[in-house]
């Protein structure tokens, strides 16, 4: 499927032939948490957060997986350790394009909303940045 290269080789001492498989090893991506801890990036954590935000919303699983992959790819392109804040903001930007309710749900957890004013402020910012939907 293109994820490995198969090679036939021969032992230099006994001349027996054998097969090896070479796979690309991705460079480790690390996350700097708010606490200062450093841990390996885990796409599954992003996916679970997106899945929770999209619960009972008309968002296909493939779209949620795509958002998680897009967040990971955007973090890898930075070519350095990334902060959990950068990951959260990338996920929010992607969710804003997918589903506004999921965006607000994710933002409420990510930004730690404590009052209804927090929701109102975030929705106000979302409305300012999104184009009006055409009814028809």
């Amino acid at each position: 499927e293109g994820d490995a290269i198969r090679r036939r080789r021969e032992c230099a001492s006994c001349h027996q032939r054998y097969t090896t498989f070479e796979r690309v090893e991705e460079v480790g991506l690390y996350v700097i948490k708010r606490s200062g801890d450093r841990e390996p990036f885990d796409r599954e954590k992003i996916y679970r957060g997106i899945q929770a935000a999209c619960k009972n919303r008309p968002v296909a699983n493939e779209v949620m997986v795509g958002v998680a992959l897009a967040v990971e790819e955007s973090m890898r392109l930075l070519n350095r350790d990334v902060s959990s804040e950068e990951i959260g903001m990338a996920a929010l930007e992607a969710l804003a394009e997918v589903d506004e309710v999921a965006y607000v749900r994710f933002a409420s957890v990510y930004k730690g909303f404590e009052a209804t004013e927090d929701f109102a402020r975030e929705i106000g910012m979302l409305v300012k940045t999104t184009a009006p939907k055409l009814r028809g």
Side-chain angles (χ1 to χ4, degrees):
E1 294 180 24
D3 60 348
I5 298 172
R6 179 178 176 238
R7 296 194 190 274
R8 291 292 293 163
R9 299 183 184 267
E10 183 176 304
C11 177
S13 60
C14 71
H15 303 291
Q16 182 154 350
R17 293 184 54 80
Y18 59 95
T19 302
T20 62
F21 292 91
E22 298 174 9
R23 289 182 174 74
V24 174
E25 184 177 332
E26 297 217 1
V27 176
L29 177 62
Y30 286 88
V31 178
I32 308 299
K33 307 289 282 181
R34 289 180 181 164
S35 66
D37 292 343
R38 185 175 180 258
E39 67 180 46
F41 181 87
D42 184 2
R43 182 184 335 122
E44 188 62 28
K45 283 185 178 182
I46 304 300
Y47 172 73
R48 285 193 306 266
I50 292 166
Q51 192 176 36
C54 293
K55 185 176 182 180
N56 297 325
R57 297 296 303 155
V59 179
N61 187 58
E62 295 78 24
V63 172
M64 291 185 271
V65 169
V67 168
L69 286 170
V71 169
E72 179 179 17
E73 183 60 28
S74 67
M75 295 300 106
R76 285 194 185 282
L77 290 174
L78 296 174
N79 204 21
R80 60 175 170 75
D81 289 355
V82 295
S83 68
S84 56
E85 289 83 10
E86 290 173 306
I87 295 170
M89 292 308 293
L92 278 173
E93 288 175 20
L95 278 173
E97 302 291 321
V98 172
D99 187 90
E100 292 174 350
V101 173
Y103 169 90
V104 173
R105 286 178 176 173
F106 191 90
S108 72
V109 174
Y110 171 70
K111 294 183 177 183
F113 289 3
E114 295 181 4
T116 55
E117 294 82 23
D118 297 331
F119 284 94
R121 182 189 69 246
E122 195 69 34
I123 291 169
M125 290 181 356
L126 181 63
V127 169
K128 288 179 186 176
T129 60
T130 58
K133 293 188 177 180
L134 300 175
R135 307 238 184 237

